[in-house]
Amino acid sequence: MTTLKSRLQGDLTAAIKDRDELRSATLRMTLSAITNEEVAGTSARELSDDEVQKVITREAKKRREAAQAFADGGRAEQAERERAEGEVLADYLPRQLTDEELDVLVSEAVAEARASGAEGPRAMGAVMKIVNPKVAGRAEGGRVAAAVKQHLAG
């Protein structure tokens, strides 16, 4: 079993013992999503830590989107619950890059792409190929793409 999945299961046990309903429900849903991912496809397999982290990232994104939808729909109580679940999941994700840190990585990638001959807005794909492995899980894709567009335009 991977260390991240073991940590999730250990924390679930602790949350149940502490009668922490929010944390235990969130961890149960996340472990269920991990199990679903493991048995998806033609044969069951165990996920690596990186794959488990991607599942947690996806679950955290679902919580952010649901919180926004509830807030837009005037259901503040449910929106707050989704935000709280997102905060629980954030404990298991790597620290997110600040705007300044992301800016530095994107400008380096743009310079590298231009050095290899990519110019203008068409260089977007080349820059994204360079920058994505560097940010891996530490910044949301849309945020990275927006920063790349901004650097390529200006």
Side-chain angles (χ1 to χ4, degrees):
M1 185 180 306
T2 62
T3 56
L4 188 54
K5 187 175 175 186
S6 301
R7 180 177 159 213
L8 285 166
Q9 289 178 330
D11 289 352
L12 173 61
T13 303
I16 291 170
K17 286 180 182 176
D18 293 342
R19 300 190 187 281
D20 185 345
E21 191 275 330
L22 171 74
R23 191 169 191 79
S24 61
T26 304
L27 293 177
R28 274 192 181 113
M29 282 189 279
T30 304
L31 284 166
S32 177
I34 291 168
T35 301
N36 287 341
E37 189 75 21
E38 287 177 334
V39 298
T42 55
S43 63
R45 63 190 176 84
E46 190 169 320
L47 299 180
S48 68
D49 270 349
D50 287 341
E51 291 169 318
V52 170
Q53 188 174 350
K54 286 179 184 172
V55 172
I56 296 170
T57 302
R58 189 171 53 232
E59 290 297 308
K61 183 178 180 187
K62 285 180 188 176
R63 300 305 182 286
R64 280 193 305 275
E65 290 171 352
Q68 185 62 46
F70 281 133
D72 292 347
R75 300 177 70 186
E77 192 174 303
Q78 286 90 346
E80 190 53 42
R81 168 76 183 208
E82 293 292 333
R83 280 190 209 95
E85 288 179 1
E87 289 172 16
V88 169
L89 293 176
D91 294 343
Y92 300 94
L93 296 172
R95 184 187 64 79
Q96 295 294 298
L97 293 172
T98 64
D99 289 338
E100 294 78 29
E101 292 169 328
L102 181 60
D103 231 24
V104 169
L105 287 173
V106 169
S107 61
E108 289 172 359
V110 167
E112 193 176 322
R114 285 192 175 139
S116 63
E119 277 297 322
R122 292 188 187 137
M124 179 87 176
V127 174
M128 290 298 285
K129 265 186 203 170
I130 295 168
V131 82
N132 273 338
K134 294 178 182 176
V135 299
R138 298 184 302 155
E140 205 172 271
R143 206 173 133 217
V144 175
V148 170
K149 283 180 187 174
Q150 181 182 1
H151 275 273
L152 290 175

